[in-house]
Structure formats: structure tokens, C-alpha cells
Amino acid sequence: MSDISIMSKEDYFAVLDEIKSHILDAQKAVMNTANVERNIMYWRIGKTIVQHSVWGNKFVDTLSKDLRMEYPESKGYSARNLNYMKQFATLVPSEEFLQQGAAKINWRSIVFLINQTKDTDEFLWYANQCIEQGWSSNVLRHQIESGLYKRQVLVEKTTNFRTQLANPLGELAEEIIKDPYVFDFIPAAAPLLERDLEDAMVAQITKVLMEFGSGFSFLGRQYPIHVGEKDYYIDLLFYNVKMHCYFVVELKTVDFEPEFAGKLSFYLSAVDGELKSDMDNPTLGLLLCKGKDKVVAEYALRDINKPIGISEYRVSDKMNPEIMDNLPSIEDIESRIQL
């Protein structure tokens, strides 16, 4: 007698889903491989065109016509696209650099980067971020429009990370900080209270995490921590899985004041003492303020022995509709003036 058990409907569909996932994974792998091979081919074509660019624009036009006649089913050989390949080869200095990042993103994103970036460093930085952060074309567009490269790479940051943390942790912590942080999904309010800012960030925590970057996990708002006989409450608490450390964020809707750094330093000591395990790196702190005097901020951090960064933040310049509804109309103002 055959020893075959009867499969339930649930078991069957579980097996079916598992097999479908294997098929999807294989399809994605094939697509990614094809994407890489196409980009390498485009780069090599561009490199060849660069080497013969002395022949002028008519050379590219003629080349386009002949390639389209030879490969009528392919749509990638227009004169415009060949010129993009030429720019692509100019921006990426070698095939080694190409393999590290740019070859792995889609051609649409590459073309967008060619049009939007100013030099090779900026192009390669965004290309690598697309791979590391898993950005889609739309997210890439948003990050470029928000000036992320300038805010994260070119800006002179106000932190003491390099003096308070051993490398490579100090360098990595410095790299992830932005100034300013852009929360353009938060409508402006007049005035914007700290609780309002906190509420808006928690309500849009997915977008906040995208602005902070990969590796951040949100642990809570007004996070309670018991020290001595008293409870203290941290505005926002995160954990960064890449750096293996807690990340404390304090929000201020006013300009930076030196005493803010002292309070945040206390919070970092409390987290290190109450939450941090032996496997965790030292806790990092970030003060997000409406504005700051850079010299004052640097002096405030000079004798702080906890790793702290101080950055400004920006919200949308569009006012909340609820606030707009409560503002007096032009007619109301005119009637009051007449009175």
C-alpha cells in the first residue's frame, strides 16, 4: 500500500506560494543581470564614441541611423541616447567604477543623473546611494530635488563625532548626518510647536526614516527612561542597525541654545546606562533646531564628551489647510480697518 499522505488545500497553496517566490527571485536575478550587461554595453559604446568625438555631431547621427538599420527591434540607438552614452562614459572614469554602482541601476535613473548632477563625484555618489538605499527612480528624483548631496556631503557639519568616536564609527556617523534635514511633508504652522513637529514626524514616520537614511529603526516618541527617582522622556528614539547603536533625537522649534547640548548629553548617558548592551556602540545624539549660530554650536560641543550632532531642519513653505481656514480673509481685515 502506498504511504502517501493527503495534502490539505492550505498546504498546497503554501507550496505553490513558495515555488512562485523562487520563480520571481529568478526572474529578478535575470532582469538585474540583463540591466547590468546593458549598462556596461552602453558605457563601452559611449567610450568608443568619446574616443572618436573629433568627428563631430554628424558622426553620432550617422552612427545612429546605421545601428537602427542593423538592429531595427532595438530602441536604444537614437542619436539622443548615443549622446547620453557618451556623457555616461565621460562621468564614469572606468569599468571598475561602473561595476561598483552605476551599472546596477536602471538606465532611466542614469539619464536623470546625467541631466541633474554637476560632476563625476556627485553622479557616482547618487548612483551608489541608489544601490545602498534601494531607491526607486521617484525617490532618486525627490532626493536630488531636496539637494541631498549638498546637505549630506558638501556641507560643513556641526558634530563632535570624530573626536568622541573611534573610526570607522566616527566617520560613518559623520557621513549620515545632514544639515539641514528636510521634512517637506510637514506643512508650515505659525508658530510650529515642538509637540506639533513631533506629532507630524511620527504620523509620517516612513518619510522621516527615508530622510534619515537606511539602517534606522523607530523605537518610539516621548520614550521613557527611568534615572534615579525620576522619569525622563526622549522626544524620538531610534536604533541604527548598521552602526549598532541607539540614536536619540531632540526637537527644538527655536534656534539652538548651548543648554540644549547639555540636556541631550544627559539623555545619551542615560541611554548608555539603562538601554545599551555590551554589543552596542555608544549612543549618538542629534539636536534638530529651527536655526543655529555655527560658532555658538561648535563652542557648546567643545567640552561635551558624548557624540552629538546639531542640525537645522526645514518644513514645507505651504501652510496647513486647517490653519489657512482659521486665518482672517482679506474682507475681514478690511472691515476691521474700517472700524
Side-chain angles (χ1 to χ4, degrees):
M1 181 180 291
S2 177
D3 188 23
I4 300 176
S5 60
I6 299 175
M7 176 179 284
S8 69
K9 185 184 296 184
E10 290 77 11
D11 289 340
Y12 170 77
F13 283 116
V15 172
L16 178 62
D17 287 340
E18 182 178 351
I19 292 174
K20 285 165 64 178
S21 71
H22 293 325
I23 294 172
L24 287 173
D25 288 343
Q27 289 175 338
K28 287 180 182 178
V30 170
M31 288 178 63
N32 289 337
T33 301
N35 195 48
V36 169
E37 292 301 321
R38 183 200 58 200
N39 288 342
I40 292 173
M41 177 188 70
Y42 280 0
W43 184 87
R44 289 173 177 170
I45 291 172
K47 198 71 174 176
T48 302
I49 294 173
V50 169
Q51 291 169 352
H52 301 283
S53 59
V54 292
W55 290 349
N57 290 334
K58 286 190 176 180
F59 161 63
V60 174
D61 292 338
T62 304
L63 193 62
S64 172
K65 291 177 183 177
D66 287 337
L67 287 172
R68 284 185 291 175
M69 287 180 61
E70 186 73 22
Y71 306 102
E73 295 181 357
S74 299
K75 298 180 180 180
Y77 302 121
S78 66
R80 183 181 182 184
N81 213 39
L82 290 178
N83 278 314
Y84 277 130
M85 295 178 203
K86 177 182 174 182
Q87 291 175 269
F88 184 36
T90 303
L91 284 166
V92 182
S94 69
E95 198 163 322
E96 180 182 358
F97 275 96
L98 182 67
Q99 295 277 11
Q100 290 174 2
K104 301 174 185 177
I105 64 178
N106 62 64
W107 182 245
R108 177 185 173 189
S109 294
I110 290 173
V111 170
F112 183 72
L113 284 175
I114 289 171
N115 288 326
Q116 297 295 322
T117 55
K118 297 178 180 178
D119 53 38
T120 294
D121 288 341
E122 185 177 4
F123 177 92
L124 293 176
W125 186 84
Y126 276 116
N128 289 330
Q129 290 297 305
C130 284
I131 302 303
E132 292 177 12
Q133 311 286 355
W135 290 345
S136 66
S137 297
N138 288 335
V139 172
L140 172 63
R141 179 182 296 272
H142 169 78
Q143 299 291 23
I144 289 180
E145 289 175 350
S146 75
L148 183 61
Y149 180 70
K150 180 179 180 181
R151 295 186 293 117
Q152 190 167 341
V153 179
L154 300 184
V155 69
E156 186 178 348
K157 300 167 186 176
T158 308
T159 79
N160 62 359
F161 291 156
R162 292 183 184 273
T163 59
Q164 296 301 320
L165 298 169
N167 285 330
L169 185 62
E171 292 180 354
L172 182 57
E174 185 85 9
E175 287 173 3
I176 68 169
I177 294 296
K178 305 171 181 65
D179 196 8
Y181 282 78
V182 175
F183 304 127
D184 53 5
F185 51 86
I186 299 177
L192 183 65
L193 303 177
E194 288 178 12
R195 185 176 183 84
D196 297 331
L197 180 60
E198 186 181 312
D199 286 344
M201 290 178 69
V202 173
Q204 300 277 3
I205 194 62
T206 300
K207 294 180 180 178
V208 170
L209 289 171
M210 186 176 75
E211 174 65 5
F212 274 28
S214 66
F216 281 92
S217 176
F218 180 54
L219 300 183
R221 62 179 293 189
Q222 292 299 306
Y223 194 95
I225 188 162
H226 190 75
V227 179
E229 299 299 323
K230 189 174 179 180
D231 286 326
Y232 296 89
Y233 297 90
I234 295 169
D235 285 349
L236 301 172
L237 182 63
F238 298 84
Y239 189 87
N240 189 286
V241 296
K242 289 185 175 181
M243 295 187 292
H244 301 287
C245 67
Y246 288 97
F247 194 88
V248 174
V249 177
E250 282 293 293
L251 306 173
K252 301 295 179 184
T253 55
V254 296
D255 291 348
F256 172 77
E257 294 290 346
E259 55 264 30
F260 298 163
K263 183 178 180 182
L264 179 55
S265 178
F266 167 75
Y267 284 160
L268 298 186
S269 294
V271 172
D272 280 341
E274 302 297 323
L275 299 180
K276 175 181 171 295
S277 73
D278 293 337
M279 303 297 292
D280 295 322
N281 286 312
T283 303
L284 307 183
L286 175 64
L287 270 168
L288 284 177
C289 303
K290 182 179 180 182
K292 72 173 186 290
D293 183 309
K294 185 172 178 60
V295 176
V296 172
E298 288 174 348
Y299 271 108
L301 292 182
R302 184 167 294 182
D303 294 322
I304 296 284
N305 62 2
K306 289 294 182 181
I308 291 175
I310 303 170
S311 294
E312 298 180 4
Y313 67 85
R314 298 284 183 270
V315 295
S316 173
D317 56 3
K318 297 178 182 179
M319 191 168 283
N320 191 316
E322 294 180 2
I323 296 173
M324 290 293 292
D325 290 341
N326 292 324
L327 291 177
S329 65
I330 295 176
E331 291 78 9
D332 292 334
I333 296 174
E334 289 177 344
S335 65
R336 293 178 185 178
I337 293 174
Q338 292 172 0
L339 291 174

PDB file of all heavy atoms in Angstrom, residues 28-56:
ATOM      1  N   LYS A  28      13.853  38.199 -11.229  1.00  0.00           N
ATOM      2  CA  LYS A  28      14.519  39.437 -10.812  1.00  0.00           C
ATOM      3  C   LYS A  28      16.020  39.350 -11.055  1.00  0.00           C
ATOM      4  O   LYS A  28      16.652  40.317 -11.494  1.00  0.00           O
ATOM      5  CB  LYS A  28      14.251  39.710  -9.333  1.00  0.00           C
ATOM      6  CG  LYS A  28      12.839  40.181  -9.039  1.00  0.00           C
ATOM      7  CD  LYS A  28      12.657  40.422  -7.541  1.00  0.00           C
ATOM      8  CE  LYS A  28      11.232  40.858  -7.223  1.00  0.00           C
ATOM      9  NZ  LYS A  28      11.031  41.049  -5.754  1.00  0.00           N
ATOM     10  N   ALA A  29      16.589  38.176 -10.760  1.00  0.00           N
ATOM     11  CA  ALA A  29      18.027  37.996 -10.962  1.00  0.00           C
ATOM     12  C   ALA A  29      18.389  38.128 -12.438  1.00  0.00           C
ATOM     13  O   ALA A  29      19.387  38.764 -12.794  1.00  0.00           O
ATOM     14  CB  ALA A  29      18.468  36.629 -10.426  1.00  0.00           C
ATOM     15  N   VAL A  30      17.552  37.548 -13.305  1.00  0.00           N
ATOM     16  CA  VAL A  30      17.781  37.638 -14.747  1.00  0.00           C
ATOM     17  C   VAL A  30      17.663  39.091 -15.205  1.00  0.00           C
ATOM     18  O   VAL A  30      18.497  39.589 -15.982  1.00  0.00           O
ATOM     19  CB  VAL A  30      16.789  36.752 -15.514  1.00  0.00           C
ATOM     20  CG1 VAL A  30      16.856  37.033 -17.013  1.00  0.00           C
ATOM     21  CG2 VAL A  30      17.080  35.281 -15.238  1.00  0.00           C
ATOM     22  N   MET A  31      16.637  39.808 -14.701  1.00  0.00           N
ATOM     23  CA  MET A  31      16.443  41.202 -15.077  1.00  0.00           C
ATOM     24  C   MET A  31      17.608  42.068 -14.608  1.00  0.00           C
ATOM     25  O   MET A  31      18.093  42.935 -15.336  1.00  0.00           O
ATOM     26  CB  MET A  31      15.129  41.725 -14.493  1.00  0.00           C
ATOM     27  CG  MET A  31      13.886  41.166 -15.159  1.00  0.00           C
ATOM     28  SD  MET A  31      12.360  41.770 -14.390  1.00  0.00           S
ATOM     29  CE  MET A  31      12.487  43.520 -14.725  1.00  0.00           C
ATOM     30  N   ASN A  32      18.072  41.823 -13.365  1.00  0.00           N
ATOM     31  CA  ASN A  32      19.193  42.601 -12.836  1.00  0.00           C
ATOM     32  C   ASN A  32      20.458  42.352 -13.639  1.00  0.00           C
ATOM     33  O   ASN A  32      21.224  43.279 -13.933  1.00  0.00           O
ATOM     34  CB  ASN A  32      19.430  42.256 -11.366  1.00  0.00           C
ATOM     35  CG  ASN A  32      18.340  42.799 -10.455  1.00  0.00           C
ATOM     36  OD1 ASN A  32      17.660  43.757 -10.806  1.00  0.00           O
ATOM     37  ND2 ASN A  32      18.171  42.184  -9.297  1.00  0.00           N
ATOM     38  N   THR A  33      20.674  41.075 -13.986  1.00  0.00           N
ATOM     39  CA  THR A  33      21.845  40.743 -14.796  1.00  0.00           C
ATOM     40  C   THR A  33      21.773  41.407 -16.158  1.00  0.00           C
ATOM     41  O   THR A  33      22.759  41.975 -16.650  1.00  0.00           O
ATOM     42  CB  THR A  33      21.964  39.217 -14.960  1.00  0.00           C
ATOM     43  OG1 THR A  33      22.065  38.603 -13.675  1.00  0.00           O
ATOM     44  CG2 THR A  33      23.186  38.857 -15.784  1.00  0.00           C
ATOM     45  N   ALA A  34      20.585  41.365 -16.778  1.00  0.00           N
ATOM     46  CA  ALA A  34      20.402  41.997 -18.083  1.00  0.00           C
ATOM     47  C   ALA A  34      20.609  43.500 -17.989  1.00  0.00           C
ATOM     48  O   ALA A  34      21.186  44.124 -18.888  1.00  0.00           O
ATOM     49  CB  ALA A  34      18.999  41.687 -18.615  1.00  0.00           C
ATOM     50  N   ASN A  35      20.138  44.091 -16.891  1.00  0.00           N
ATOM     51  CA  ASN A  35      20.285  45.525 -16.677  1.00  0.00           C
ATOM     52  C   ASN A  35      21.758  45.908 -16.585  1.00  0.00           C
ATOM     53  O   ASN A  35      22.209  46.887 -17.195  1.00  0.00           O
ATOM     54  CB  ASN A  35      19.557  45.918 -15.384  1.00  0.00           C
ATOM     55  CG  ASN A  35      19.331  47.407 -15.261  1.00  0.00           C
ATOM     56  OD1 ASN A  35      18.876  48.052 -16.189  1.00  0.00           O
ATOM     57  ND2 ASN A  35      19.636  47.957 -14.103  1.00  0.00           N
ATOM     58  N   VAL A  36      22.520  45.127 -15.822  1.00  0.00           N
ATOM     59  CA  VAL A  36      23.948  45.388 -15.673  1.00  0.00           C
ATOM     60  C   VAL A  36      24.666  45.255 -17.000  1.00  0.00           C
ATOM     61  O   VAL A  36      25.474  46.111 -17.386  1.00  0.00           O
ATOM     62  CB  VAL A  36      24.564  44.427 -14.619  1.00  0.00           C
ATOM     63  CG1 VAL A  36      26.092  44.501 -14.651  1.00  0.00           C
ATOM     64  CG2 VAL A  36      24.051  44.753 -13.223  1.00  0.00           C
ATOM     65  N   GLU A  37      24.370  44.163 -17.728  1.00  0.00           N
ATOM     66  CA  GLU A  37      25.034  43.930 -19.018  1.00  0.00           C
ATOM     67  C   GLU A  37      24.708  45.046 -20.008  1.00  0.00           C
ATOM     68  O   GLU A  37      25.574  45.489 -20.772  1.00  0.00           O
ATOM     69  CB  GLU A  37      24.628  42.573 -19.583  1.00  0.00           C
ATOM     70  CG  GLU A  37      25.144  41.385 -18.789  1.00  0.00           C
ATOM     71  CD  GLU A  37      26.661  41.372 -18.696  1.00  0.00           C
ATOM     72  OE1 GLU A  37      27.317  41.715 -19.700  1.00  0.00           O
ATOM     73  OE2 GLU A  37      27.176  41.037 -17.621  1.00  0.00           O
ATOM     74  N   ARG A  38      23.456  45.524 -20.014  1.00  0.00           N
ATOM     75  CA  ARG A  38      23.081  46.612 -20.921  1.00  0.00           C
ATOM     76  C   ARG A  38      23.832  47.891 -20.578  1.00  0.00           C
ATOM     77  O   ARG A  38      24.344  48.584 -21.470  1.00  0.00           O
ATOM     78  CB  ARG A  38      21.590  46.861 -20.852  1.00  0.00           C
ATOM     79  CG  ARG A  38      21.097  47.940 -21.835  1.00  0.00           C
ATOM     80  CD  ARG A  38      19.763  48.487 -21.427  1.00  0.00           C
ATOM     81  NE  ARG A  38      19.828  49.043 -20.086  1.00  0.00           N
ATOM     82  CZ  ARG A  38      18.766  49.240 -19.314  1.00  0.00           C
ATOM     83  NH1 ARG A  38      17.570  48.902 -19.730  1.00  0.00           N
ATOM     84  NH2 ARG A  38      18.907  49.749 -18.104  1.00  0.00           N
ATOM     85  N   ASN A  39      23.919  48.210 -19.293  1.00  0.00           N
ATOM     86  CA  ASN A  39      24.612  49.434 -18.899  1.00  0.00           C
ATOM     87  C   ASN A  39      26.093  49.380 -19.218  1.00  0.00           C
ATOM     88  O   ASN A  39      26.691  50.393 -19.612  1.00  0.00           O
ATOM     89  CB  ASN A  39      24.400  49.699 -17.401  1.00  0.00           C
ATOM     90  CG  ASN A  39      22.983  50.139 -17.080  1.00  0.00           C
ATOM     91  OD1 ASN A  39      22.241  50.562 -17.955  1.00  0.00           O
ATOM     92  ND2 ASN A  39      22.611  50.048 -15.812  1.00  0.00           N
ATOM     93  N   ILE A  40      26.686  48.210 -19.038  1.00  0.00           N
ATOM     94  CA  ILE A  40      28.101  48.055 -19.409  1.00  0.00           C
ATOM     95  C   ILE A  40      28.275  48.239 -20.913  1.00  0.00           C
ATOM     96  O   ILE A  40      29.218  48.904 -21.368  1.00  0.00           O
ATOM     97  CB  ILE A  40      28.625  46.669 -18.957  1.00  0.00           C
ATOM     98  CG1 ILE A  40      28.687  46.596 -17.425  1.00  0.00           C
ATOM     99  CG2 ILE A  40      30.004  46.393 -19.552  1.00  0.00           C
ATOM    100  CD1 ILE A  40      29.038  45.228 -16.880  1.00  0.00           C
ATOM    101  N   MET A  41      27.340  47.659 -21.683  1.00  0.00           N
ATOM    102  CA  MET A  41      27.391  47.819 -23.138  1.00  0.00           C
ATOM    103  C   MET A  41      27.249  49.292 -23.515  1.00  0.00           C
ATOM    104  O   MET A  41      28.010  49.810 -24.351  1.00  0.00           O
ATOM    105  CB  MET A  41      26.282  47.009 -23.794  1.00  0.00           C
ATOM    106  CG  MET A  41      26.222  47.170 -25.307  1.00  0.00           C
ATOM    107  SD  MET A  41      24.760  46.371 -26.041  1.00  0.00           S
ATOM    108  CE  MET A  41      23.432  47.445 -25.445  1.00  0.00           C
ATOM    109  N   TYR A  42      26.289  49.997 -22.881  1.00  0.00           N
ATOM    110  CA  TYR A  42      26.095  51.418 -23.170  1.00  0.00           C
ATOM    111  C   TYR A  42      27.351  52.217 -22.824  1.00  0.00           C
ATOM    112  O   TYR A  42      27.736  53.136 -23.549  1.00  0.00           O
ATOM    113  CB  TYR A  42      24.903  51.959 -22.374  1.00  0.00           C
ATOM    114  CG  TYR A  42      23.544  51.649 -22.972  1.00  0.00           C
ATOM    115  CD1 TYR A  42      23.409  50.926 -24.155  1.00  0.00           C
ATOM    116  CD2 TYR A  42      22.379  52.084 -22.343  1.00  0.00           C
ATOM    117  CE1 TYR A  42      22.164  50.648 -24.693  1.00  0.00           C
ATOM    118  CE2 TYR A  42      21.126  51.818 -22.879  1.00  0.00           C
ATOM    119  CZ  TYR A  42      21.028  51.094 -24.042  1.00  0.00           C
ATOM    120  OH  TYR A  42      19.783  50.827 -24.577  1.00  0.00           O
ATOM    121  N   TRP A  43      27.990  51.880 -21.692  1.00  0.00           N
ATOM    122  CA  TRP A  43      29.207  52.595 -21.292  1.00  0.00           C
ATOM    123  C   TRP A  43      30.320  52.365 -22.322  1.00  0.00           C
ATOM    124  O   TRP A  43      31.040  53.305 -22.684  1.00  0.00           O
ATOM    125  CB  TRP A  43      29.638  52.116 -19.910  1.00  0.00           C
ATOM    126  CG  TRP A  43      30.833  52.862 -19.372  1.00  0.00           C
ATOM    127  CD1 TRP A  43      30.839  54.037 -18.671  1.00  0.00           C
ATOM    128  CD2 TRP A  43      32.206  52.464 -19.499  1.00  0.00           C
ATOM    129  NE1 TRP A  43      32.133  54.400 -18.345  1.00  0.00           N
ATOM    130  CE2 TRP A  43      32.986  53.445 -18.840  1.00  0.00           C
ATOM    131  CE3 TRP A  43      32.851  51.373 -20.090  1.00  0.00           C
ATOM    132  CZ2 TRP A  43      34.377  53.364 -18.770  1.00  0.00           C
ATOM    133  CZ3 TRP A  43      34.235  51.300 -20.016  1.00  0.00           C
ATOM    134  CH2 TRP A  43      34.984  52.293 -19.370  1.00  0.00           C
ATOM    135  N   ARG A  44      30.447  51.132 -22.773  1.00  0.00           N
ATOM    136  CA  ARG A  44      31.501  50.823 -23.761  1.00  0.00           C
ATOM    137  C   ARG A  44      31.238  51.524 -25.085  1.00  0.00           C
ATOM    138  O   ARG A  44      32.168  52.023 -25.728  1.00  0.00           O
ATOM    139  CB  ARG A  44      31.585  49.309 -23.956  1.00  0.00           C
ATOM    140  CG  ARG A  44      32.181  48.573 -22.761  1.00  0.00           C
ATOM    141  CD  ARG A  44      32.087  47.067 -22.929  1.00  0.00           C
ATOM    142  NE  ARG A  44      32.714  46.353 -21.821  1.00  0.00           N
ATOM    143  CZ  ARG A  44      32.606  45.044 -21.613  1.00  0.00           C
ATOM    144  NH1 ARG A  44      31.884  44.302 -22.468  1.00  0.00           N
ATOM    145  NH2 ARG A  44      33.207  44.473 -20.576  1.00  0.00           N
ATOM    146  N   ILE A  45      29.967  51.569 -25.494  1.00  0.00           N
ATOM    147  CA  ILE A  45      29.618  52.308 -26.713  1.00  0.00           C
ATOM    148  C   ILE A  45      29.970  53.779 -26.533  1.00  0.00           C
ATOM    149  O   ILE A  45      30.561  54.415 -27.421  1.00  0.00           O
ATOM    150  CB  ILE A  45      28.119  52.141 -27.043  1.00  0.00           C
ATOM    151  CG1 ILE A  45      27.818  50.701 -27.471  1.00  0.00           C
ATOM    152  CG2 ILE A  45      27.691  53.116 -28.152  1.00  0.00           C
ATOM    153  CD1 ILE A  45      26.342  50.394 -27.628  1.00  0.00           C
ATOM    154  N   GLY A  46      29.576  54.323 -25.367  1.00  0.00           N
ATOM    155  CA  GLY A  46      29.884  55.724 -25.087  1.00  0.00           C
ATOM    156  C   GLY A  46      31.366  55.992 -25.097  1.00  0.00           C
ATOM    157  O   GLY A  46      31.824  57.034 -25.592  1.00  0.00           O
ATOM    158  N   LYS A  47      32.158  55.065 -24.534  1.00  0.00           N
ATOM    159  CA  LYS A  47      33.610  55.222 -24.504  1.00  0.00           C
ATOM    160  C   LYS A  47      34.181  55.266 -25.920  1.00  0.00           C
ATOM    161  O   LYS A  47      35.082  56.074 -26.235  1.00  0.00           O
ATOM    162  CB  LYS A  47      34.223  54.054 -23.731  1.00  0.00           C
ATOM    163  CG  LYS A  47      35.643  54.303 -23.246  1.00  0.00           C
ATOM    164  CD  LYS A  47      35.647  55.310 -22.115  1.00  0.00           C
ATOM    165  CE  LYS A  47      37.045  55.464 -21.520  1.00  0.00           C
ATOM    166  NZ  LYS A  47      37.071  56.526 -20.476  1.00  0.00           N
ATOM    167  N   THR A  48      33.648  54.406 -26.786  1.00  0.00           N
ATOM    168  CA  THR A  48      34.104  54.390 -28.181  1.00  0.00           C
ATOM    169  C   THR A  48      33.763  55.702 -28.870  1.00  0.00           C
ATOM    170  O   THR A  48      34.587  56.259 -29.620  1.00  0.00           O
ATOM    171  CB  THR A  48      33.461  53.215 -28.938  1.00  0.00           C
ATOM    172  OG1 THR A  48      33.798  51.988 -28.280  1.00  0.00           O
ATOM    173  CG2 THR A  48      33.935  53.179 -30.383  1.00  0.00           C
ATOM    174  N   ILE A  49      32.558  56.227 -28.616  1.00  0.00           N
ATOM    175  CA  ILE A  49      32.144  57.499 -29.215  1.00  0.00           C
ATOM    176  C   ILE A  49      33.036  58.635 -28.725  1.00  0.00           C
ATOM    177  O   ILE A  49      33.445  59.504 -29.502  1.00  0.00           O
ATOM    178  CB  ILE A  49      30.666  57.791 -28.907  1.00  0.00           C
ATOM    179  CG1 ILE A  49      29.773  56.762 -29.597  1.00  0.00           C
ATOM    180  CG2 ILE A  49      30.279  59.204 -29.353  1.00  0.00           C
ATOM    181  CD1 ILE A  49      28.305  56.866 -29.223  1.00  0.00           C
ATOM    182  N   VAL A  50      33.364  58.632 -27.415  1.00  0.00           N
ATOM    183  CA  VAL A  50      34.250  59.661 -26.855  1.00  0.00           C
ATOM    184  C   VAL A  50      35.597  59.646 -27.570  1.00  0.00           C
ATOM    185  O   VAL A  50      36.160  60.708 -27.898  1.00  0.00           O
ATOM    186  CB  VAL A  50      34.442  59.449 -25.335  1.00  0.00           C
ATOM    187  CG1 VAL A  50      35.560  60.341 -24.800  1.00  0.00           C
ATOM    188  CG2 VAL A  50      33.156  59.735 -24.581  1.00  0.00           C
ATOM    189  N   GLN A  51      36.109  58.453 -27.825  1.00  0.00           N
ATOM    190  CA  GLN A  51      37.429  58.325 -28.459  1.00  0.00           C
ATOM    191  C   GLN A  51      37.442  58.873 -29.884  1.00  0.00           C
ATOM    192  O   GLN A  51      38.499  59.223 -30.412  1.00  0.00           O
ATOM    193  CB  GLN A  51      37.852  56.852 -28.448  1.00  0.00           C
ATOM    194  CG  GLN A  51      38.159  56.324 -27.056  1.00  0.00           C
ATOM    195  CD  GLN A  51      38.307  54.811 -27.022  1.00  0.00           C
ATOM    196  OE1 GLN A  51      38.044  54.118 -28.015  1.00  0.00           O
ATOM    197  NE2 GLN A  51      38.717  54.288 -25.868  1.00  0.00           N
ATOM    198  N   HIS A  52      36.242  58.952 -30.498  1.00  0.00           N
ATOM    199  CA  HIS A  52      36.165  59.442 -31.881  1.00  0.00           C
ATOM    200  C   HIS A  52      35.303  60.707 -31.975  1.00  0.00           C
ATOM    201  O   HIS A  52      34.769  61.011 -33.037  1.00  0.00           O
ATOM    202  CB  HIS A  52      35.598  58.350 -32.790  1.00  0.00           C
ATOM    203  CG  HIS A  52      36.414  57.092 -32.794  1.00  0.00           C
ATOM    204  ND1 HIS A  52      37.607  56.971 -33.483  1.00  0.00           N
ATOM    205  CD2 HIS A  52      36.227  55.903 -32.162  1.00  0.00           C
ATOM    206  CE1 HIS A  52      38.105  55.760 -33.285  1.00  0.00           C
ATOM    207  NE2 HIS A  52      37.291  55.094 -32.490  1.00  0.00           N
ATOM    208  N   SER A  53      35.188  61.418 -30.854  1.00  0.00           N
ATOM    209  CA  SER A  53      34.319  62.600 -30.827  1.00  0.00           C
ATOM    210  C   SER A  53      34.817  63.730 -31.708  1.00  0.00           C
ATOM    211  O   SER A  53      34.064  64.657 -32.016  1.00  0.00           O
ATOM    212  CB  SER A  53      34.171  63.101 -29.386  1.00  0.00           C
ATOM    213  OG  SER A  53      35.433  63.431 -28.837  1.00  0.00           O
ATOM    214  N   VAL A  54      36.072  63.659 -32.138  1.00  0.00           N
ATOM    215  CA  VAL A  54      36.613  64.711 -33.026  1.00  0.00           C
ATOM    216  C   VAL A  54      35.891  64.727 -34.364  1.00  0.00           C
ATOM    217  O   VAL A  54      35.989  65.706 -35.119  1.00  0.00           O
ATOM    218  CB  VAL A  54      38.132  64.510 -33.248  1.00  0.00           C
ATOM    219  CG1 VAL A  54      38.894  64.761 -31.964  1.00  0.00           C
ATOM    220  CG2 VAL A  54      38.423  63.105 -33.779  1.00  0.00           C
ATOM    221  N   TRP A  55      35.152  63.678 -34.667  1.00  0.00           N
ATOM    222  CA  TRP A  55      34.435  63.614 -35.934  1.00  0.00           C
ATOM    223  C   TRP A  55      33.141  64.432 -35.907  1.00  0.00           C
ATOM    224  O   TRP A  55      32.461  64.557 -36.920  1.00  0.00           O
ATOM    225  CB  TRP A  55      34.119  62.155 -36.302  1.00  0.00           C
ATOM    226  CG  TRP A  55      35.365  61.387 -36.672  1.00  0.00           C
ATOM    227  CD1 TRP A  55      36.598  61.905 -36.894  1.00  0.00           C
ATOM    228  CD2 TRP A  55      35.481  59.979 -36.849  1.00  0.00           C
ATOM    229  NE1 TRP A  55      37.499  60.913 -37.207  1.00  0.00           N
ATOM    230  CE2 TRP A  55      36.833  59.714 -37.188  1.00  0.00           C
ATOM    231  CE3 TRP A  55      34.598  58.910 -36.767  1.00  0.00           C
ATOM    232  CZ2 TRP A  55      37.315  58.443 -37.435  1.00  0.00           C
ATOM    233  CZ3 TRP A  55      35.069  57.635 -37.012  1.00  0.00           C
ATOM    234  CH2 TRP A  55      36.413  57.404 -37.347  1.00  0.00           C
ATOM    235  N   GLY A  56      32.770  64.938 -34.724  1.00  0.00           N
ATOM    236  CA  GLY A  56      31.636  65.852 -34.651  1.00  0.00           C
ATOM    237  C   GLY A  56      30.284  65.164 -34.495  1.00  0.00           C
ATOM    238  O   GLY A  56      30.175  63.931 -34.447  1.00  0.00           O
TER     239      GLY A  56
END
